[in-house]
Amino acid sequence: MVYSDIFLPVKKKINQSIVVAAFAQILKLSVWLILIWVMYALKNDSSHFPILPLICLLIISIIFYVLRVYAHDKSHYAAFELEEILRKRLVEKINQLPLETARNIGSGNLIKVLIDDIKELHAFVADAPPLKAEAIVTPIFTLLVLFIFNWLFACLVLFITLVSFVILSYLLRKGHLLKQQYNEATVEINSRIIEYIQGMNAVRTFDAGEGAYSQYRTALTNYSQLVFDWLYSSRYSSKIARSLFSPMLVNCILIIGLSFAYMSEQVSFTTIFSFLLLTAGIAESIYPVMGLFQILEKSKAAIDRIFEVESLPFLTRTDTYNTPSNNEILFKNVYFSYQNNQQVLSDINLRIIENSFTVFIGNSGSGKTTLANLIPRFLDVEQGSITLGGIDIKQIEYNQLISKISLVPQDNFLFSCSIADNIRYGLDNITDQQVIEAAQKAEIHNFIMSLPQQYQTLAGERGQLLSGGQKQRIAIARTFLQNRPIIILDEPTAFSDAINEVLLLKAFTRLIEQHKTVIMITHRLSSAIKADQIIFLEQGKIIAQGHHDDLIKSSDKYQALWQEYQQARNWTIAVNSVNNEVTDETI
Ligand SMILES: Nc1ncnc2c1ncn2[C@@H]1O[C@H](COP(=O)(O)OP(=O)(O)OP(=O)(O)O)[C@@H](O)[C@H]1O
Ligand SMILES: [Mg+2]
């Protein structure tokens, strides 16, 4: 990919803007010619008012402003259009990345790409076309005119312009390296701010604001230091560049040369006047190119990062897709590790038959969530295969696969819209009555009705206005509405009190009766008793699988776990019976 490829979607508009701006610039320069004409006319015949040049001046100025505004509008529209196209393109790309890859990009980096980098391109597309047209047209037009007046002095002006341009390019290249570090420092600040705000609780509780805040402060200091170094190192180059392109230098050289030539009668007064007037324009038109170079450097870094995200590998795809005939899930010799390469799942062989109830149990970190995340391809297997209805899930069109699975994760995320909209999120034509029914099944209706604005209550950013259990039950209500054949629930009762847990389990039983394949991850073995099969994981391996009654007999480890659970449960009952709230029967 070349840098300019990024502008392809709006190339036509950019080119139109450049062409129109070029015409406008020719007209602008023609004004100088009219001034020369006025001077020439007055010098030759001082008895007549130069009316004709004046009329030309007026007409040219009007056309110039119209064209300029048009070119300016075109480039700004192109910039907004490109911004929209790129944001859509990147979000679509991110949507199709494996979840792990998307997470690894990091929020700070994503914000930099999606907001800052695209904004950077906006500035370039909006400002560059008129500046470019000006920088190309002015020297060419002016030098052509100067060559007509006097080729020798025109060559001198050309020489000075070229030398200044070479020096300018060299001076501008000096800032390049620092620019990349500058971008990295900005990404770091973004990441630290996000971390600091998202982890505010942990920050305040555990390190009194020192750890995370000092990381943020360090990021800020690095950034300030870089900006300072950058400005410091470019203090001479920018000043030299600025003076090189001020009309003063070239005018001084010309005044000396032209004065001698005039004294020896080799050039006319009009030639001197024309040279001094027009060469100033060259210097003035090239100076903005310097700004353009800087915008270009910034844009290149932004384009690099956009291309980097766009070139990340998609979820593995095949050329032909198949449709599964049923919803049986089969894991065959599945291995998986995250990027740190530690084996998280090994040799997983597992059959989850259609419309059955499967429970994953195991210690924290044993790989339950990872195993569940492989089914909707949030992660892809490293070795082995997973089939759905006999078809490898990689050969099922991704949207089709996803449309068969509802997943309620361990940490639920709500969108900053109303509770009702959160429940029907991603679904069309869902009536309020259907939302209420789903909430009732998820045991969250009564709570919602107790809120001042009931179903219209806002959930807050990331659902922060609700408790963990409330968020989870809203996600479960969404699952009821989605009505998909496979349901994966990661610790769905983790935040529930004993009564809610019983009610939720009843709701899940209803789901299974409605012919759904339910996979539940849980630490509460009471939920596992009714399961058709229990999958017991330990350090990423299945160490026992089967029905509760069988496992009690066949697996020592399950037996031990069950006993531990019983003891813990008895202890809970003892505490609860003191409060007289929950009876042994309810659990
Ligand atoms: N994104 C990740 N990158 C690297 N390692 C990870 C990632 N997520 C989980 N792990 C590691 O993979 C292992 C399995 O994690 P997993 O979340 O599947 O466990 P779990 O059984 O669901 O635990 P819990 O009961 O605490 O939810 C753990 O050792 C964990 O440290
Ligand atoms: Mg987990």
Side-chain angles (χ1 to χ4, degrees), residues 100 338 340 344 362-371 410 491 523:
E100 207 46 32
Y338 287 98
N340 53 14
V344 173
N363 288 342
S364 180
S366 56
K368 306 179 292 297
T369 300
T370 309
L371 186 61
Q410 244 170 324
E491 301 274 8
H523 283 285

Short mmCIF file of all heavy atoms in Angstrom, two decimals, residues 100 338 340 344 362-371 410 491 523, ligand 1:
data_model
loop_
_atom_site.label_atom_id
_atom_site.label_comp_id
_atom_site.label_asym_id
_atom_site.label_seq_id
_atom_site.Cartn_x
_atom_site.Cartn_y
_atom_site.Cartn_z
N GLU A 100 -9.49 -11.38 20.73
CA GLU A 100 -8.21 -11.22 21.42
C GLU A 100 -7.33 -10.19 20.72
O GLU A 100 -6.69 -9.35 21.37
CB GLU A 100 -7.51 -12.59 21.46
CG GLU A 100 -6.56 -12.81 22.59
CD GLU A 100 -7.10 -12.39 23.94
OE1 GLU A 100 -8.32 -12.47 24.18
OE2 GLU A 100 -6.29 -11.94 24.76
N TYR A 338 -3.09 -18.41 24.84
CA TYR A 338 -3.13 -16.98 24.53
C TYR A 338 -1.77 -16.60 23.99
O TYR A 338 -0.88 -17.44 23.87
CB TYR A 338 -3.48 -16.17 25.79
CG TYR A 338 -4.93 -16.31 26.19
CD1 TYR A 338 -5.31 -17.20 27.19
CD2 TYR A 338 -5.92 -15.59 25.55
CE1 TYR A 338 -6.64 -17.35 27.55
CE2 TYR A 338 -7.26 -15.72 25.90
CZ TYR A 338 -7.60 -16.61 26.90
OH TYR A 338 -8.92 -16.75 27.25
N ASN A 340 0.72 -15.25 25.24
CA ASN A 340 1.90 -15.51 26.06
C ASN A 340 2.35 -16.97 25.99
O ASN A 340 3.29 -17.38 26.66
CB ASN A 340 1.64 -15.10 27.52
CG ASN A 340 0.37 -15.76 28.06
OD1 ASN A 340 -0.16 -16.69 27.46
ND2 ASN A 340 -0.10 -15.26 29.19
N VAL A 344 -3.37 -23.07 27.73
CA VAL A 344 -4.53 -22.84 28.60
C VAL A 344 -5.52 -23.99 28.50
O VAL A 344 -6.13 -24.39 29.49
CB VAL A 344 -5.20 -21.49 28.25
CG1 VAL A 344 -6.49 -21.31 29.01
CG2 VAL A 344 -4.26 -20.33 28.58
N GLY A 362 -14.83 -26.06 37.72
CA GLY A 362 -13.37 -26.12 37.87
C GLY A 362 -12.90 -24.90 38.62
O GLY A 362 -13.62 -23.90 38.73
N ASN A 363 -11.65 -24.99 39.09
CA ASN A 363 -11.11 -23.87 39.87
C ASN A 363 -10.98 -22.62 39.03
O ASN A 363 -10.99 -22.70 37.80
CB ASN A 363 -9.71 -24.23 40.39
CG ASN A 363 -9.80 -25.25 41.49
OD1 ASN A 363 -10.87 -25.44 42.07
ND2 ASN A 363 -8.69 -25.94 41.73
N SER A 364 -10.82 -21.52 39.73
CA SER A 364 -10.59 -20.26 39.01
C SER A 364 -9.29 -20.41 38.19
O SER A 364 -8.28 -20.90 38.69
CB SER A 364 -10.44 -19.15 40.05
OG SER A 364 -10.23 -17.96 39.40
N GLY A 365 -9.37 -20.02 36.94
CA GLY A 365 -8.18 -20.10 36.06
C GLY A 365 -8.03 -21.45 35.37
O GLY A 365 -7.04 -21.68 34.67
N SER A 366 -9.01 -22.35 35.57
CA SER A 366 -8.87 -23.68 34.97
C SER A 366 -9.19 -23.68 33.47
O SER A 366 -8.93 -24.66 32.78
CB SER A 366 -9.76 -24.69 35.71
OG SER A 366 -11.10 -24.23 35.69
N GLY A 367 -9.79 -22.60 32.96
CA GLY A 367 -10.00 -22.50 31.51
C GLY A 367 -11.45 -22.56 31.07
O GLY A 367 -11.74 -22.69 29.88
N LYS A 368 -12.39 -22.41 32.02
CA LYS A 368 -13.82 -22.53 31.68
C LYS A 368 -14.26 -21.45 30.70
O LYS A 368 -14.88 -21.74 29.67
CB LYS A 368 -14.68 -22.45 32.96
CG LYS A 368 -14.27 -23.44 34.04
CD LYS A 368 -15.12 -23.31 35.27
CE LYS A 368 -14.95 -22.01 36.05
NZ LYS A 368 -13.61 -21.79 36.62
N THR A 369 -13.94 -20.19 31.02
CA THR A 369 -14.35 -19.08 30.14
C THR A 369 -13.69 -19.22 28.77
O THR A 369 -14.33 -19.02 27.73
CB THR A 369 -13.98 -17.73 30.79
OG1 THR A 369 -14.66 -17.64 32.03
CG2 THR A 369 -14.34 -16.56 29.93
N THR A 370 -12.42 -19.57 28.78
CA THR A 370 -11.70 -19.73 27.51
C THR A 370 -12.39 -20.79 26.65
O THR A 370 -12.62 -20.59 25.45
CB THR A 370 -10.25 -20.14 27.80
OG1 THR A 370 -9.71 -19.23 28.76
CG2 THR A 370 -9.41 -20.13 26.54
N LEU A 371 -12.75 -21.90 27.27
CA LEU A 371 -13.40 -23.00 26.55
C LEU A 371 -14.72 -22.51 25.94
O LEU A 371 -15.00 -22.77 24.76
CB LEU A 371 -13.66 -24.15 27.53
CG LEU A 371 -14.19 -25.46 26.95
CD1 LEU A 371 -13.22 -26.04 25.95
CD2 LEU A 371 -14.44 -26.48 28.07
N GLN A 410 -18.98 -13.08 31.92
CA GLN A 410 -18.78 -12.92 33.36
C GLN A 410 -18.92 -11.44 33.75
O GLN A 410 -19.56 -11.10 34.70
CB GLN A 410 -17.36 -13.38 33.71
CG GLN A 410 -17.32 -14.57 34.61
CD GLN A 410 -15.91 -15.14 34.74
OE1 GLN A 410 -15.15 -15.15 33.79
NE2 GLN A 410 -15.60 -15.63 35.89
N GLU A 491 -21.03 -17.92 34.64
CA GLU A 491 -21.35 -17.57 36.03
C GLU A 491 -22.64 -16.75 36.15
O GLU A 491 -22.62 -15.63 36.70
CB GLU A 491 -20.19 -16.77 36.66
CG GLU A 491 -18.88 -17.47 36.66
CD GLU A 491 -18.69 -18.36 37.87
OE1 GLU A 491 -19.65 -18.53 38.63
OE2 GLU A 491 -17.60 -18.91 38.01
N HIS A 523 -19.54 -21.91 39.68
CA HIS A 523 -18.80 -22.43 40.83
C HIS A 523 -19.77 -23.08 41.81
O HIS A 523 -19.36 -23.70 42.77
CB HIS A 523 -18.07 -21.28 41.54
CG HIS A 523 -16.83 -20.84 40.82
ND1 HIS A 523 -15.67 -21.56 40.84
CD2 HIS A 523 -16.58 -19.76 40.05
CE1 HIS A 523 -14.75 -20.95 40.12
NE2 HIS A 523 -15.28 -19.84 39.62
N1 LIG B 1 -6.74 -12.56 27.63
C1 LIG B 1 -5.89 -13.42 28.22
N2 LIG B 1 -4.57 -13.38 27.91
C2 LIG B 1 -3.71 -14.23 28.49
N3 LIG B 1 -4.07 -15.17 29.37
C3 LIG B 1 -5.36 -15.26 29.72
C4 LIG B 1 -6.34 -14.39 29.15
N4 LIG B 1 -7.55 -14.71 29.67
C5 LIG B 1 -7.33 -15.74 30.52
N5 LIG B 1 -6.03 -16.07 30.55
C6 LIG B 1 -5.42 -17.15 31.32
O1 LIG B 1 -6.02 -18.36 30.89
C7 LIG B 1 -6.28 -19.20 31.97
C8 LIG B 1 -7.75 -19.61 31.95
O2 LIG B 1 -8.54 -18.46 32.15
P1 LIG B 1 -10.13 -18.52 32.17
O3 LIG B 1 -10.61 -17.14 32.23
O4 LIG B 1 -10.56 -19.37 31.03
O5 LIG B 1 -10.38 -19.26 33.53
P2 LIG B 1 -11.76 -19.57 34.27
O6 LIG B 1 -11.78 -21.04 34.52
O7 LIG B 1 -12.88 -18.99 33.52
O8 LIG B 1 -11.54 -18.80 35.64
P3 LIG B 1 -12.63 -18.08 36.58
O9 LIG B 1 -13.39 -19.15 37.29
O10 LIG B 1 -11.80 -17.30 37.52
O11 LIG B 1 -13.48 -17.24 35.71
C9 LIG B 1 -5.88 -18.45 33.22
O12 LIG B 1 -4.62 -18.96 33.63
C10 LIG B 1 -5.73 -17.03 32.78
O13 LIG B 1 -4.68 -16.42 33.44
#
